[in-house]
Amino acid sequence: MATNIDFKDLWKQQTSEKPSIEELLGRLKKFKNENLRKLLITNILLIITCLFIGFIWYYYEPRLITTKIGIVLVILAMVIFLSAYNKLLSPIYKLDNTQTNTEYLHSLYSLKNKHKFIQTTMLNLYFIMLFAGISLYMYEYASKMKMIYGISAYLFTFLWIAFNWFYLRPRIIKKQQAKLNGLINKFEEINDQLKD
């Protein structure tokens, strides 16, 4: 039994597929474009929603202060979330073909940290403010309904918010993290190969 094993020779003989830098840059470009598109769509939808809520306030002229506070809370939640979410623009936009692998990794780590902040702190704040705002907003109109209809309106609204909070939000976060972690892992593999 030979005790001299040439690990470099064994490494060269392995048949595992090494990630192609061109393929990886293609995936990175797709990731960048996808995230920029999501950022744009989110901005447009939340701005339109804020304008619509403002129109509702103007057109229906709510009487109770709770309704006005609810509207302000909902709009404020969207504005705060958008301001934090738009901070992702810089790290996403900085991903370009002129960076080195190490710079790509640093950019992706920065993006991952900002995504984590958005997905935890900002999304929690957004949902809490949205929940409080909708609850206050609905009070004026639910109090004018028969009790069963008012309770049903609140129940369906809370169920919808709970569905978004406990089911949709974790799935979306998991998907985003998987894509970002996949890119980071591939760039780490290439960096490790280049060091050897």
Side-chain angles (χ1 to χ4, degrees):
M1 183 184 230
T3 56
N4 280 342
I5 300 172
D6 188 4
F7 288 108
K8 286 185 181 181
D9 194 36
L10 283 174
W11 180 259
K12 289 177 188 175
Q13 292 175 5
Q14 71 180 359
T15 59
S16 68
E17 200 175 296
K18 295 176 182 170
S20 162
I21 191 71
E22 292 81 22
E23 176 191 334
L24 193 54
L25 289 176
R27 283 180 56 190
L28 186 66
K29 184 177 180 180
K30 182 181 175 187
F31 176 80
K32 176 184 173 181
N33 291 337
E34 187 178 293
N35 276 284
L36 287 173
R37 187 176 60 250
K38 284 180 186 176
L39 193 67
L40 180 67
I41 290 170
T42 301
N43 272 284
I44 290 170
L45 289 176
L46 287 181
I47 289 170
I48 289 172
T49 304
C50 286
L51 292 173
F52 181 70
I53 291 170
F55 171 75
I56 289 173
W57 185 348
Y58 174 77
Y59 188 76
Y60 288 104
E61 298 176 5
R63 293 190 178 126
L64 295 180
I65 191 74
T66 57
T67 311
K68 294 173 185 174
I69 292 171
I71 290 173
V72 169
L73 271 176
V74 169
I75 291 174
L76 191 60
M78 291 179 193
V79 169
I80 290 171
F81 181 77
L82 271 183
S83 65
Y85 193 60
N86 284 333
K87 290 184 181 175
L88 289 176
L89 181 63
S90 178
I92 291 172
Y93 197 72
K94 284 182 183 177
L95 295 172
D96 61 14
N97 293 337
T98 61
Q99 292 180 316
T100 65
N101 284 349
T102 308
E103 290 170 334
Y104 277 128
L105 268 174
H106 288 297
S107 295
L108 289 172
Y109 286 138
S110 170
L111 185 61
K112 183 177 180 177
N113 289 335
K114 289 186 181 194
H115 260 285
K116 188 173 183 177
F117 174 74
I118 296 290
Q119 293 166 344
T120 55
T121 307
M122 293 313 297
L123 214 49
N124 290 344
L125 179 66
Y126 173 74
F127 269 102
I128 290 168
M129 289 178 72
L130 193 66
F131 176 74
I134 290 172
S135 297
L136 288 170
Y137 174 78
M138 288 177 58
Y139 177 74
E140 180 175 344
Y141 305 107
S143 65
K144 294 177 183 176
M145 300 177 186
K146 289 183 180 179
M147 172 118 16
I148 189 74
Y149 296 128
I151 291 172
S152 296
Y154 268 101
L155 182 66
F156 287 126
T157 303
F158 295 157
L159 286 174
W160 177 248
I161 291 171
F163 174 73
N164 279 284
W165 179 262
F166 294 111
Y167 182 73
L168 291 180
R169 184 182 67 93
R171 288 185 64 159
I172 291 169
I173 289 172
K174 192 175 180 181
K175 228 180 193 178
Q176 287 175 341
Q177 286 176 344
K179 285 181 184 178
L180 196 52
N181 287 339
L183 279 171
I184 289 172
N185 290 340
K186 292 294 183 184
F187 273 104
E188 284 176 343
E189 278 180 41
I190 287 179
N191 258 7
D192 290 343
Q193 288 175 2
L194 292 175
K195 286 178 185 175
D196 294 338

